[in-house]
Each structure stands twice: as C-alpha cells, then as structure tokens.
Amino acid sequence: MTRLALNGGPEAAAGLDIPRWPQCTDTSKEYVLDALESEKWCRIIDGADWVDRFESEFADYHDAEHAIAVSNGTVAIELALRASGLQPGDEVLVPAYTFIATASAVACMGGVPKFVDVDPNTFNIDPESVRENVTDRTVGIVGVHFGGYPMDMDELLPIVEEHGLFLIEDSAHAQGSEWRGQRVGTFGDFGTFSFQQSKSLPAGEGGIVVTDDDVLAEEASLVHNIGRPVGAGYKHTMLASNYRLPELQGALLCSQLEKLPDENRRRQENEERLVSELDVIDGIHTLRRDDRITNRGYCVYNFRYDADAFDGLSRDRFLEALRAEGVPASPGYGLPLYKQPAFSREQLGTLVPPDTEIPVNRHLHLPGVEEIMETNVRLSHTALLAEGETINAIPRAIRKIQENVDQLLES
Ligand SMILES: Cc1ncc(COP(=O)(O)O)c(C=O)c1O
C-alpha cells in the first residue's frame, strides 16, 4: 500500500518545479530604472514614452489597430462600457462564472448586469443561454475568454449582429489567445486586459483596452485622460475620470511582454502533456478540445472532478489530498456571481435610475455554473511553466489518490 501524503506518506508531486511569480528580470530592472531616472513618471509629461511604447507593442502583439493603457483590468471594462455608449439602466449580459469585475463594472457604470449560464466544457459564456436571455432592453455583452480559453466567436458574433449589441471581450486571462488565427480582443468593439500581479503579463496593477475602431479608440482615449486628448493641456471636452497607467508600469510591462510568447509556448506544451495524461483518468474532465483555438494564453488552468469515479470522495477532500501531495490546486470562486451580496436588488438599485427593472439574482439557478462550482479544480498558469516533464507529477498525484482513496474514506 502507498500511503497518501495526507496520511503522512511521501508527496507524489515533490518534483513539480513551478517557478515563482511574478519574475523581476534584468530587463525589468533596466527598463524600470530608465523610467525612474528619466523623472517622467506620468504619461502626459513631455518626452514620457514608456506607456506609448507599451501600447504600440501590445497592439502589435494582439493585432489590434489601437490600444489604450489604463490602471487596471476593472477600469478597462468600465472605460470600454462608457465608450460603447452604455446608458444608465441599460441591460448587459454577463457570464455568471467569472471574477466579479466583469459584472460589477456594468453596475458601477449604471447598467444592469444580467447573468447568463456558462458551459462546463469550456467555462465560457453559453451562446444558447445568451439567446434565451437577450431582450429588447439588452444593449451589449461583456463575455470572458475564461482562463485564456477563447469564447466561441462563431456562435457569439451572429447573436451580437442580429440584435445590434456591443461586445466587450473581457480578456483579462487571455494575453496571446487566438480564435481561427485572430487574436482575441479584436472580434468585438473592445477587448480589455488585466496586468494584475497574478496574470501572465504582470505589472502589479495595470490594464489595457484594444479596438480596431478609430472612433471608439478616440472616445476611449478621451475617457482615460479625464476628458481630453493626451497632450491637450487644460481643455476638457468631456466629463470623465483619470484611468491613466503610470510610466513605471509601462516600462515594467514592456519587459514582461518580451518573455510572454516563449512562456505561452511552454504553457501550451505542458498543457498538451497534462491533458494527454488527465484524459485517461476516469472521473477527470479536461476542457473541450477545439481546433478553432489556434493559440492559447493562460491565467488559470481548469478541469472538473467527478466524485463518483473516486468512490464518492468529495471534491473538497480531494483538493486537500492533492495539495498534500504537492499540487497547489484550488476550487476557484466560492460563489456564483448571482449569489454575491453585492448584486442584491438593494445595492443595484442605488446605481440605476428609479423604475429600472432589476432582476432578483438570489433566486437564479444556472445549471452550468452550479456544476462548475461543485466540480472545478483550478491550477495557476504558473503550474504550466513547470520545468521539463515535472508537470507529469500532477496526474501522478491524482492517480495515487484514486488508487488509494480508501485511506481517505476510512479516516
Ligand atoms: C475575468 C477578469 N476580469 C477582470 C478582472 C479585473 O482585473 P484587475 O484586477 O486588473 O482590475 C479580473 C481580475 O482578476 C478577471 O479575472
């Protein structure tokens, strides 16, 4: 009998070599020091150019015509909503399984987020549920390329077209992801990204919006700079806030972007290794394979766990055992968004015009989301950067738990 690590045995994944994150490289030090010593720490100071440079390099990387860097991924969505013409009380469809910012940005801009279901095979917005929920009050969709897995644009774009909606692609997780050879973020009106510390392109905090539309880009640029073009002095043509990214962050992001393509290649190779081993374990369900996904970015790596194939061992106890074996896995978000107290009628009611119809979110039940809540096993993108073949330690640890599950059921 092999003793499980939870019961004092040796860790099955002891060799799993996951790098620390984020990483301060020599180039990061060089670029940030340059920005620091330039004493131009804000993009609107004459001669400041790190944020300009990052915008141009990120736009190239994502094949977008325009990019406007902002302070984080949450305000990137707010900016995109404002520039897309969202009016107070407008209804916007959002997936109910995502980080809260996707939906709270809608509410904070005076819109009404309407939650739609998610496909457990992809963790992305379910186009069928979008069709069922669209009404004549719906003005747009904020969808998420969750974990870097692209949304099904073949299904989503015709719905957007048919109903005259705007589409914002929340690509906070998807730096480098591609659908049918086209980088994500450029299918809709705007793509928004986050560069928060845990993301695959990190700067502590930071964000960007991309678009191919010249008019929307101009609007977004005005909105991000308190209602005036960059370099326009004190003439403000619009009431707006300050969403600018600092120069030091711009410099840091230029350095981090240089290593992203190689890192994504390594993550993709490791994902292939992982999937080929996980797919043969009874009760482990990896995301649907889709040839239309031609490149992957990553933030989290998800699969689903079926307790029946582990003699009924609960997902949470399985996670405990997996972590004890040396695999840093988590259950993901603790609540579907419609159960978040922040989306109560009372709270939403404070942000929208009187008489706006507000759904009672706490009564919602979305089966796809609820299945994910019960079965999700989440790893960070950093696990996919594991050295050599040490990634194989993850399926090895899972097999060990499955073969010795009686030790957990007895205890
Ligand atoms: C899907 C998604 N959208 C938006 C955000 C918000 O990004 P930020 O933390 O940079 O504000 C996050 C952050 O984790 C996210 O996961």
Side-chain angles (χ1 to χ4, degrees), residues 1-65:
M1 182 185 82
T2 316
R3 193 191 285 233
L4 291 173
L6 207 51
N7 290 344
E11 288 182 15
L16 181 61
D17 188 2
I18 299 179
R20 65 203 157 68
W21 198 262
Q23 292 168 356
C24 173
T25 64
D26 288 344
T27 316
S28 304
K29 289 180 197 164
E30 184 195 329
Y31 291 3
V32 173
L33 191 61
D34 180 277
L36 200 56
E37 289 180 342
S38 75
E39 295 180 353
K40 293 165 189 147
W41 298 346
C42 169
R43 78 171 306 175
I44 59 172
I45 302 302
D46 259 357
D49 54 12
W50 280 107
V51 172
D52 284 350
R53 174 172 157 182
F54 177 66
E55 285 176 343
S56 152
E57 290 179 359
F58 192 80
D60 281 353
Y61 182 59
H62 261 266
D63 296 330
E65 288 296 319

Short mmCIF file of all heavy atoms in Angstrom, two decimals, residues 1-65:
data_model
loop_
_atom_site.label_atom_id
_atom_site.label_comp_id
_atom_site.label_asym_id
_atom_site.label_seq_id
_atom_site.Cartn_x
_atom_site.Cartn_y
_atom_site.Cartn_z
N MET A 1 0.84 -1.20 0.00
CA MET A 1 0.00 0.00 0.00
C MET A 1 0.88 1.26 0.00
O MET A 1 1.86 1.33 0.72
CB MET A 1 -0.89 0.01 1.25
CG MET A 1 -1.83 1.19 1.30
SD MET A 1 -2.77 1.26 2.86
CE MET A 1 -1.63 2.01 3.98
N THR A 2 0.51 2.26 -0.85
CA THR A 2 1.24 3.54 -0.84
C THR A 2 0.48 4.47 0.08
O THR A 2 -0.73 4.68 -0.10
CB THR A 2 1.24 4.15 -2.26
OG1 THR A 2 1.52 3.12 -3.18
CG2 THR A 2 2.23 5.28 -2.37
N ARG A 3 1.18 5.05 1.02
CA ARG A 3 0.47 5.92 1.96
C ARG A 3 0.30 7.32 1.34
O ARG A 3 1.25 7.90 0.81
CB ARG A 3 1.27 6.03 3.26
CG ARG A 3 0.46 6.67 4.37
CD ARG A 3 1.36 7.00 5.52
NE ARG A 3 1.70 5.76 6.22
CZ ARG A 3 1.54 5.62 7.52
NH1 ARG A 3 1.02 6.60 8.23
NH2 ARG A 3 1.91 4.52 8.13
N LEU A 4 -0.91 7.84 1.40
CA LEU A 4 -1.17 9.19 0.88
C LEU A 4 -0.45 10.23 1.73
O LEU A 4 -0.30 10.03 2.94
CB LEU A 4 -2.68 9.48 0.87
CG LEU A 4 -3.49 8.67 -0.14
CD1 LEU A 4 -4.99 8.89 0.05
CD2 LEU A 4 -3.10 9.03 -1.57
N ALA A 5 -0.06 11.34 1.10
CA ALA A 5 0.68 12.38 1.84
C ALA A 5 -0.17 12.94 2.98
O ALA A 5 0.36 13.30 4.04
CB ALA A 5 1.09 13.49 0.88
N LEU A 6 -1.49 12.99 2.77
CA LEU A 6 -2.38 13.49 3.82
C LEU A 6 -2.29 12.60 5.08
O LEU A 6 -2.55 13.06 6.18
CB LEU A 6 -3.82 13.50 3.28
CG LEU A 6 -4.82 14.49 3.84
CD1 LEU A 6 -4.30 15.92 3.84
CD2 LEU A 6 -6.12 14.43 3.03
N ASN A 7 -1.91 11.33 4.85
CA ASN A 7 -1.78 10.40 5.99
C ASN A 7 -0.31 10.21 6.38
O ASN A 7 0.04 9.20 6.98
CB ASN A 7 -2.40 9.04 5.63
CG ASN A 7 -3.91 9.13 5.53
OD1 ASN A 7 -4.50 10.10 6.01
ND2 ASN A 7 -4.54 8.14 4.93
N GLY A 8 0.55 11.13 5.95
CA GLY A 8 1.95 11.05 6.39
C GLY A 8 2.89 10.41 5.39
O GLY A 8 4.09 10.26 5.67
N GLY A 9 2.40 10.00 4.21
CA GLY A 9 3.25 9.38 3.20
C GLY A 9 4.06 10.42 2.42
O GLY A 9 3.88 11.63 2.62
N PRO A 10 4.93 9.97 1.51
CA PRO A 10 5.74 10.91 0.72
C PRO A 10 4.88 11.62 -0.33
O PRO A 10 3.91 11.05 -0.83
CB PRO A 10 6.77 10.00 0.03
CG PRO A 10 6.13 8.65 0.00
CD PRO A 10 5.19 8.55 1.17
N GLU A 11 5.24 12.85 -0.67
CA GLU A 11 4.47 13.61 -1.67
C GLU A 11 4.70 13.05 -3.06
O GLU A 11 5.84 12.93 -3.50
CB GLU A 11 4.92 15.07 -1.68
CG GLU A 11 4.50 15.86 -0.48
CD GLU A 11 4.95 17.32 -0.58
OE1 GLU A 11 5.33 17.77 -1.68
OE2 GLU A 11 4.92 17.99 0.46
N ALA A 12 3.62 12.77 -3.79
CA ALA A 12 3.75 12.26 -5.16
C ALA A 12 4.27 13.33 -6.11
O ALA A 12 4.87 13.04 -7.13
CB ALA A 12 2.40 11.74 -5.66
N ALA A 13 4.00 14.61 -5.79
CA ALA A 13 4.37 15.70 -6.71
C ALA A 13 5.57 16.49 -6.18
O ALA A 13 5.72 17.67 -6.50
CB ALA A 13 3.18 16.61 -6.95
N ALA A 14 6.41 15.82 -5.38
CA ALA A 14 7.55 16.54 -4.78
C ALA A 14 8.43 17.17 -5.86
O ALA A 14 9.01 18.23 -5.65
CB ALA A 14 8.35 15.59 -3.90
N GLY A 15 8.50 16.53 -7.04
CA GLY A 15 9.40 17.03 -8.09
C GLY A 15 8.82 18.15 -8.95
O GLY A 15 9.50 18.70 -9.82
N LEU A 16 7.55 18.49 -8.72
CA LEU A 16 6.89 19.50 -9.55
C LEU A 16 7.59 20.85 -9.36
O LEU A 16 7.61 21.40 -8.27
CB LEU A 16 5.42 19.61 -9.11
CG LEU A 16 4.51 20.58 -9.85
CD1 LEU A 16 4.41 20.22 -11.33
CD2 LEU A 16 3.11 20.58 -9.22
N ASP A 17 8.17 21.34 -10.47
CA ASP A 17 9.05 22.51 -10.36
C ASP A 17 8.35 23.74 -10.93
O ASP A 17 8.46 24.06 -12.11
CB ASP A 17 10.34 22.19 -11.15
CG ASP A 17 11.39 23.24 -10.94
OD1 ASP A 17 11.15 24.18 -10.16
OD2 ASP A 17 12.46 23.13 -11.58
N ILE A 18 7.59 24.42 -10.07
CA ILE A 18 6.80 25.59 -10.50
C ILE A 18 7.58 26.87 -10.18
O ILE A 18 7.99 27.06 -9.04
CB ILE A 18 5.43 25.61 -9.79
CG1 ILE A 18 4.64 24.35 -10.14
CG2 ILE A 18 4.63 26.86 -10.17
CD1 ILE A 18 3.29 24.25 -9.48
N PRO A 19 7.78 27.74 -11.18
CA PRO A 19 8.55 28.96 -10.90
C PRO A 19 7.78 29.95 -10.03
O PRO A 19 6.55 29.92 -9.99
CB PRO A 19 8.79 29.55 -12.29
CG PRO A 19 7.68 29.02 -13.13
CD PRO A 19 7.29 27.69 -12.56
N ARG A 20 8.52 30.81 -9.35
CA ARG A 20 7.87 31.88 -8.57
C ARG A 20 7.24 32.86 -9.56
O ARG A 20 7.62 32.91 -10.73
CB ARG A 20 8.89 32.55 -7.65
CG ARG A 20 9.96 33.27 -8.40
CD ARG A 20 11.25 33.48 -7.62
NE ARG A 20 12.34 33.66 -8.59
CZ ARG A 20 12.47 34.69 -9.38
NH1 ARG A 20 11.58 35.66 -9.34
NH2 ARG A 20 13.46 34.78 -10.24
N TRP A 21 6.29 33.65 -9.07
CA TRP A 21 5.59 34.60 -9.94
C TRP A 21 5.17 35.82 -9.17
O TRP A 21 4.70 35.66 -8.04
CB TRP A 21 4.36 33.92 -10.56
CG TRP A 21 3.86 34.66 -11.77
CD1 TRP A 21 2.83 35.56 -11.81
CD2 TRP A 21 4.41 34.59 -13.08
NE1 TRP A 21 2.70 36.04 -13.09
CE2 TRP A 21 3.67 35.46 -13.89
CE3 TRP A 21 5.47 33.88 -13.66
CZ2 TRP A 21 3.94 35.65 -15.24
CZ3 TRP A 21 5.74 34.05 -14.99
CH2 TRP A 21 4.96 34.93 -15.78
N PRO A 22 5.32 37.03 -9.69
CA PRO A 22 5.91 37.39 -10.97
C PRO A 22 7.45 37.35 -10.92
O PRO A 22 8.01 37.10 -9.85
CB PRO A 22 5.42 38.83 -11.17
CG PRO A 22 5.27 39.36 -9.78
CD PRO A 22 4.85 38.20 -8.93
N GLN A 23 8.08 37.59 -12.06
CA GLN A 23 9.53 37.48 -12.12
C GLN A 23 10.15 38.83 -12.50
O GLN A 23 9.79 39.41 -13.51
CB GLN A 23 9.92 36.44 -13.17
CG GLN A 23 9.51 35.05 -12.74
CD GLN A 23 9.60 34.04 -13.87
OE1 GLN A 23 9.90 34.39 -15.01
NE2 GLN A 23 9.34 32.79 -13.55
N CYS A 24 11.09 39.26 -11.66
CA CYS A 24 11.82 40.50 -11.95
C CYS A 24 13.07 40.13 -12.74
O CYS A 24 14.00 39.53 -12.19
CB CYS A 24 12.18 41.18 -10.63
SG CYS A 24 13.24 42.59 -10.89
N THR A 25 13.09 40.42 -14.04
CA THR A 25 14.24 40.04 -14.88
C THR A 25 15.23 41.22 -14.95
O THR A 25 14.92 42.34 -14.54
CB THR A 25 13.76 39.73 -16.31
OG1 THR A 25 13.21 40.94 -16.86
CG2 THR A 25 12.69 38.64 -16.31
N ASP A 26 16.40 40.95 -15.52
CA ASP A 26 17.38 42.04 -15.70
C ASP A 26 16.78 43.13 -16.58
O ASP A 26 17.00 44.31 -16.36
CB ASP A 26 18.67 41.49 -16.34
CG ASP A 26 19.44 40.64 -15.34
OD1 ASP A 26 19.14 40.73 -14.12
OD2 ASP A 26 20.32 39.86 -15.77
N THR A 27 16.02 42.72 -17.60
CA THR A 27 15.40 43.72 -18.48
C THR A 27 14.38 44.56 -17.70
O THR A 27 14.28 45.77 -17.92
CB THR A 27 14.69 43.01 -19.67
OG1 THR A 27 15.55 42.00 -20.15
CG2 THR A 27 14.37 43.97 -20.78
N SER A 28 13.63 43.92 -16.80
CA SER A 28 12.67 44.69 -15.98
C SER A 28 13.42 45.77 -15.21
O SER A 28 13.01 46.93 -15.18
CB SER A 28 11.94 43.79 -14.98
OG SER A 28 11.30 42.74 -15.62
N LYS A 29 14.56 45.37 -14.61
CA LYS A 29 15.33 46.35 -13.80
C LYS A 29 15.82 47.48 -14.71
O LYS A 29 15.74 48.65 -14.35
CB LYS A 29 16.52 45.66 -13.14
CG LYS A 29 16.12 44.71 -12.03
CD LYS A 29 17.35 44.07 -11.42
CE LYS A 29 16.96 42.86 -10.62
NZ LYS A 29 18.07 41.99 -10.31
N GLU A 30 16.33 47.10 -15.88
CA GLU A 30 16.89 48.10 -16.81
C GLU A 30 15.81 49.11 -17.24
O GLU A 30 16.00 50.33 -17.17
CB GLU A 30 17.45 47.36 -18.03
CG GLU A 30 18.14 48.26 -19.04
CD GLU A 30 18.35 47.53 -20.37
OE1 GLU A 30 18.52 46.28 -20.36
OE2 GLU A 30 18.29 48.18 -21.41
N TYR A 31 14.64 48.58 -17.68
CA TYR A 31 13.59 49.47 -18.20
C TYR A 31 12.99 50.33 -17.09
O TYR A 31 12.76 51.53 -17.28
CB TYR A 31 12.47 48.65 -18.87
CG TYR A 31 12.85 47.96 -20.16
CD1 TYR A 31 14.14 48.02 -20.68
CD2 TYR A 31 11.89 47.25 -20.89
CE1 TYR A 31 14.46 47.38 -21.87
CE2 TYR A 31 12.21 46.61 -22.08
CZ TYR A 31 13.50 46.66 -22.56
OH TYR A 31 13.81 46.02 -23.73
N VAL A 32 12.73 49.71 -15.95
CA VAL A 32 12.09 50.48 -14.86
C VAL A 32 13.05 51.55 -14.34
O VAL A 32 12.65 52.69 -14.07
CB VAL A 32 11.60 49.55 -13.73
CG1 VAL A 32 11.09 50.36 -12.53
CG2 VAL A 32 10.49 48.64 -14.23
N LEU A 33 14.34 51.19 -14.26
CA LEU A 33 15.33 52.18 -13.81
C LEU A 33 15.40 53.34 -14.81
O LEU A 33 15.49 54.51 -14.42
CB LEU A 33 16.71 51.51 -13.67
CG LEU A 33 17.77 52.35 -12.97
CD1 LEU A 33 17.36 52.69 -11.54
CD2 LEU A 33 19.11 51.60 -12.96
N ASP A 34 15.31 53.01 -16.09
CA ASP A 34 15.31 54.07 -17.11
C ASP A 34 14.13 55.02 -16.90
O ASP A 34 14.30 56.25 -16.91
CB ASP A 34 15.26 53.43 -18.51
CG ASP A 34 15.26 54.49 -19.60
OD1 ASP A 34 14.18 55.02 -19.91
OD2 ASP A 34 16.35 54.78 -20.12
N ALA A 35 12.96 54.43 -16.68
CA ALA A 35 11.76 55.27 -16.46
C ALA A 35 11.93 56.10 -15.19
O ALA A 35 11.61 57.29 -15.16
CB ALA A 35 10.53 54.39 -16.36
N LEU A 36 12.48 55.47 -14.17
CA LEU A 36 12.67 56.14 -12.87
C LEU A 36 13.62 57.32 -13.02
O LEU A 36 13.32 58.45 -12.61
CB LEU A 36 13.23 55.10 -11.90
CG LEU A 36 13.11 55.31 -10.42
CD1 LEU A 36 11.67 55.52 -10.00
CD2 LEU A 36 13.68 54.08 -9.70
N GLU A 37 14.75 57.05 -13.67
CA GLU A 37 15.78 58.10 -13.78
C GLU A 37 15.38 59.22 -14.75
O GLU A 37 15.89 60.31 -14.67
CB GLU A 37 17.13 57.48 -14.18
CG GLU A 37 17.72 56.68 -13.04
CD GLU A 37 19.05 56.02 -13.34
OE1 GLU A 37 19.40 55.87 -14.55
OE2 GLU A 37 19.74 55.64 -12.38
N SER A 38 14.45 58.89 -15.66
CA SER A 38 14.00 59.92 -16.60
C SER A 38 13.23 61.04 -15.88
O SER A 38 13.07 62.13 -16.40
CB SER A 38 13.09 59.30 -17.67
OG SER A 38 11.82 59.05 -17.11
N GLU A 39 12.75 60.70 -14.69
CA GLU A 39 11.92 61.62 -13.90
C GLU A 39 10.64 62.04 -14.64
O GLU A 39 10.00 63.03 -14.33
CB GLU A 39 12.73 62.83 -13.41
CG GLU A 39 13.82 62.37 -12.45
CD GLU A 39 14.70 63.46 -11.89
OE1 GLU A 39 14.59 64.61 -12.32
OE2 GLU A 39 15.52 63.14 -11.01
N LYS A 40 10.28 61.23 -15.66
CA LYS A 40 8.98 61.42 -16.33
C LYS A 40 8.15 60.19 -15.94
O LYS A 40 8.26 59.15 -16.58
CB LYS A 40 9.17 61.49 -17.85
CG LYS A 40 9.93 62.74 -18.26
CD LYS A 40 10.43 62.66 -19.67
CE LYS A 40 11.35 63.82 -19.95
NZ LYS A 40 12.42 63.48 -20.88
N TRP A 41 7.42 60.31 -14.87
CA TRP A 41 6.73 59.15 -14.30
C TRP A 41 5.26 59.09 -14.71
O TRP A 41 4.55 58.16 -14.32
CB TRP A 41 6.86 59.16 -12.77
CG TRP A 41 8.28 59.08 -12.29
CD1 TRP A 41 9.38 58.74 -13.04
CD2 TRP A 41 8.77 59.36 -10.98
NE1 TRP A 41 10.52 58.78 -12.28
CE2 TRP A 41 10.18 59.16 -10.99
CE3 TRP A 41 8.19 59.76 -9.78
CZ2 TRP A 41 10.99 59.35 -9.88
CZ3 TRP A 41 8.99 59.93 -8.66
CH2 TRP A 41 10.37 59.73 -8.71
N CYS A 42 4.82 60.11 -15.42
CA CYS A 42 3.41 60.20 -15.83
C CYS A 42 3.38 60.40 -17.34
O CYS A 42 4.17 61.18 -17.89
CB CYS A 42 2.78 61.40 -15.13
SG CYS A 42 1.15 61.81 -15.76
N ARG A 43 2.46 59.72 -18.02
CA ARG A 43 2.50 59.73 -19.49
C ARG A 43 2.24 61.10 -20.11
O ARG A 43 2.61 61.32 -21.26
CB ARG A 43 1.52 58.70 -20.07
CG ARG A 43 0.07 59.12 -20.05
CD ARG A 43 -0.81 58.15 -20.83
NE ARG A 43 -0.32 57.96 -22.19
CZ ARG A 43 -0.81 57.11 -23.06
NH1 ARG A 43 -1.84 56.36 -22.71
NH2 ARG A 43 -0.32 57.00 -24.25
N ILE A 44 1.61 62.01 -19.36
CA ILE A 44 1.31 63.30 -20.01
C ILE A 44 2.43 64.32 -19.82
O ILE A 44 2.30 65.47 -20.22
CB ILE A 44 -0.06 63.87 -19.55
CG1 ILE A 44 -0.10 64.07 -18.04
CG2 ILE A 44 -1.21 63.00 -20.01
CD1 ILE A 44 -1.36 64.81 -17.58
N ILE A 45 3.57 63.87 -19.25
CA ILE A 45 4.74 64.77 -19.15
C ILE A 45 5.50 64.71 -20.48
O ILE A 45 5.70 63.63 -21.03
CB ILE A 45 5.67 64.29 -17.99
CG1 ILE A 45 4.93 64.26 -16.66
CG2 ILE A 45 6.92 65.17 -17.92
CD1 ILE A 45 4.32 65.57 -16.21
N ASP A 46 5.90 65.85 -20.98
CA ASP A 46 6.62 65.91 -22.26
C ASP A 46 7.80 64.95 -22.29
O ASP A 46 8.62 64.95 -21.39
CB ASP A 46 7.18 67.34 -22.46
CG ASP A 46 6.29 68.11 -23.40
OD1 ASP A 46 5.33 67.50 -23.90
OD2 ASP A 46 6.57 69.31 -23.61
N GLY A 47 7.88 64.16 -23.35
CA GLY A 47 9.02 63.27 -23.52
C GLY A 47 8.82 61.90 -22.88
O GLY A 47 9.61 60.98 -23.09
N ALA A 48 7.75 61.73 -22.07
CA ALA A 48 7.49 60.40 -21.47
C ALA A 48 7.08 59.45 -22.58
O ALA A 48 6.26 59.81 -23.43
CB ALA A 48 6.38 60.51 -20.43
N ASP A 49 7.66 58.25 -22.63
CA ASP A 49 7.29 57.39 -23.77
C ASP A 49 7.13 55.91 -23.47
O ASP A 49 6.84 55.12 -24.36
CB ASP A 49 8.27 57.60 -24.93
CG ASP A 49 9.71 57.39 -24.52
OD1 ASP A 49 9.92 56.88 -23.40
OD2 ASP A 49 10.60 57.75 -25.30
N TRP A 50 7.28 55.49 -22.18
CA TRP A 50 7.15 54.05 -21.91
C TRP A 50 5.72 53.55 -22.11
O TRP A 50 5.52 52.46 -22.64
CB TRP A 50 7.64 53.72 -20.49
CG TRP A 50 9.13 53.61 -20.42
CD1 TRP A 50 9.99 54.49 -19.85
CD2 TRP A 50 9.94 52.56 -20.97
NE1 TRP A 50 11.28 54.06 -20.00
CE2 TRP A 50 11.29 52.88 -20.68
CE3 TRP A 50 9.67 51.39 -21.69
CZ2 TRP A 50 12.35 52.06 -21.07
CZ3 TRP A 50 10.73 50.58 -22.08
CH2 TRP A 50 12.05 50.92 -21.78
N VAL A 51 4.73 54.32 -21.70
CA VAL A 51 3.33 53.87 -21.88
C VAL A 51 3.00 53.86 -23.38
O VAL A 51 2.39 52.90 -23.88
CB VAL A 51 2.34 54.73 -21.07
CG1 VAL A 51 0.90 54.38 -21.42
CG2 VAL A 51 2.56 54.53 -19.57
N ASP A 52 3.46 54.89 -24.11
CA ASP A 52 3.25 54.90 -25.58
C ASP A 52 3.84 53.64 -26.21
O ASP A 52 3.22 52.99 -27.04
CB ASP A 52 3.97 56.09 -26.23
CG ASP A 52 3.24 57.39 -26.00
OD1 ASP A 52 2.09 57.34 -25.52
OD2 ASP A 52 3.82 58.45 -26.29
N ARG A 53 5.08 53.34 -25.78
CA ARG A 53 5.76 52.18 -26.36
C ARG A 53 5.01 50.88 -26.03
O ARG A 53 4.81 50.04 -26.91
CB ARG A 53 7.20 52.12 -25.83
CG ARG A 53 7.93 50.88 -26.27
CD ARG A 53 9.40 50.93 -25.90
NE ARG A 53 9.93 49.57 -25.83
CZ ARG A 53 11.17 49.28 -25.49
NH1 ARG A 53 12.02 50.23 -25.19
NH2 ARG A 53 11.57 48.01 -25.46
N PHE A 54 4.58 50.77 -24.78
CA PHE A 54 3.85 49.54 -24.42
C PHE A 54 2.55 49.42 -25.21
O PHE A 54 2.21 48.35 -25.72
CB PHE A 54 3.58 49.48 -22.91
CG PHE A 54 2.76 48.26 -22.57
CD1 PHE A 54 3.29 46.98 -22.74
CD2 PHE A 54 1.45 48.38 -22.14
CE1 PHE A 54 2.52 45.85 -22.49
CE2 PHE A 54 0.68 47.25 -21.89
CZ PHE A 54 1.22 45.98 -22.06
N GLU A 55 1.83 50.52 -25.35
CA GLU A 55 0.56 50.48 -26.11
C GLU A 55 0.83 49.99 -27.53
O GLU A 55 0.09 49.16 -28.07
CB GLU A 55 -0.08 51.87 -26.17
CG GLU A 55 -0.72 52.29 -24.86
CD GLU A 55 -1.28 53.71 -24.89
OE1 GLU A 55 -0.90 54.50 -25.79
OE2 GLU A 55 -2.06 54.05 -24.00
N SER A 56 1.88 50.51 -28.12
CA SER A 56 2.16 50.15 -29.51
C SER A 56 2.59 48.66 -29.60
O SER A 56 2.13 47.92 -30.48
CB SER A 56 3.21 51.13 -30.02
OG SER A 56 3.96 50.57 -31.00
N GLU A 57 3.43 48.21 -28.65
CA GLU A 57 3.88 46.81 -28.70
C GLU A 57 2.74 45.84 -28.38
O GLU A 57 2.64 44.77 -28.98
CB GLU A 57 5.06 46.60 -27.73
CG GLU A 57 6.31 47.31 -28.24
CD GLU A 57 7.52 47.17 -27.32
OE1 GLU A 57 7.41 46.54 -26.25
OE2 GLU A 57 8.58 47.71 -27.71
N PHE A 58 1.86 46.22 -27.44
CA PHE A 58 0.76 45.31 -27.11
C PHE A 58 -0.25 45.26 -28.27
O PHE A 58 -0.77 44.19 -28.60
CB PHE A 58 0.06 45.72 -25.81
CG PHE A 58 -0.88 44.66 -25.32
CD1 PHE A 58 -0.39 43.56 -24.62
CD2 PHE A 58 -2.24 44.72 -25.58
CE1 PHE A 58 -1.25 42.54 -24.20
CE2 PHE A 58 -3.10 43.71 -25.16
CZ PHE A 58 -2.60 42.63 -24.47
N ALA A 59 -0.49 46.42 -28.91
CA ALA A 59 -1.40 46.44 -30.06
C ALA A 59 -0.83 45.53 -31.16
O ALA A 59 -1.58 44.75 -31.76
CB ALA A 59 -1.58 47.87 -30.58
N ASP A 60 0.47 45.58 -31.40
CA ASP A 60 1.08 44.69 -32.40
C ASP A 60 0.89 43.23 -32.00
O ASP A 60 0.53 42.39 -32.82
CB ASP A 60 2.59 44.95 -32.50
CG ASP A 60 2.89 46.18 -33.34
OD1 ASP A 60 1.95 46.72 -33.93
OD2 ASP A 60 4.07 46.59 -33.38
N TYR A 61 1.16 42.96 -30.72
CA TYR A 61 1.07 41.56 -30.25
C TYR A 61 -0.35 41.01 -30.40
O TYR A 61 -0.53 39.83 -30.70
CB TYR A 61 1.51 41.51 -28.78
CG TYR A 61 1.52 40.12 -28.18
CD1 TYR A 61 2.30 39.10 -28.73
CD2 TYR A 61 0.75 39.83 -27.07
CE1 TYR A 61 2.30 37.83 -28.18
CE2 TYR A 61 0.74 38.56 -26.52
CZ TYR A 61 1.52 37.57 -27.08
OH TYR A 61 1.51 36.31 -26.54
N HIS A 62 -1.35 41.87 -30.22
CA HIS A 62 -2.73 41.40 -30.34
C HIS A 62 -3.38 41.76 -31.67
O HIS A 62 -4.60 41.66 -31.82
CB HIS A 62 -3.60 41.85 -29.14
CG HIS A 62 -3.72 40.74 -28.13
ND1 HIS A 62 -4.76 39.85 -28.11
CD2 HIS A 62 -2.86 40.34 -27.20
CE1 HIS A 62 -4.55 38.96 -27.18
NE2 HIS A 62 -3.40 39.23 -26.59
N ASP A 63 -2.53 42.19 -32.64
CA ASP A 63 -3.03 42.54 -33.98
C ASP A 63 -4.19 43.51 -33.92
O ASP A 63 -5.18 43.35 -34.65
CB ASP A 63 -3.49 41.27 -34.75
CG ASP A 63 -2.33 40.33 -35.00
OD1 ASP A 63 -1.20 40.83 -35.12
OD2 ASP A 63 -2.56 39.11 -35.04
N ALA A 64 -4.10 44.50 -33.01
CA ALA A 64 -5.18 45.49 -32.88
C ALA A 64 -4.69 46.82 -33.45
O ALA A 64 -3.51 47.13 -33.40
CB ALA A 64 -5.55 45.66 -31.41
N GLU A 65 -5.63 47.60 -33.96
CA GLU A 65 -5.28 48.92 -34.51
C GLU A 65 -4.89 49.90 -33.41
O GLU A 65 -4.02 50.73 -33.59
CB GLU A 65 -6.48 49.50 -35.27
CG GLU A 65 -6.78 48.80 -36.59
CD GLU A 65 -5.64 48.98 -37.59
OE1 GLU A 65 -5.08 50.07 -37.67
OE2 GLU A 65 -5.34 47.98 -38.28
#
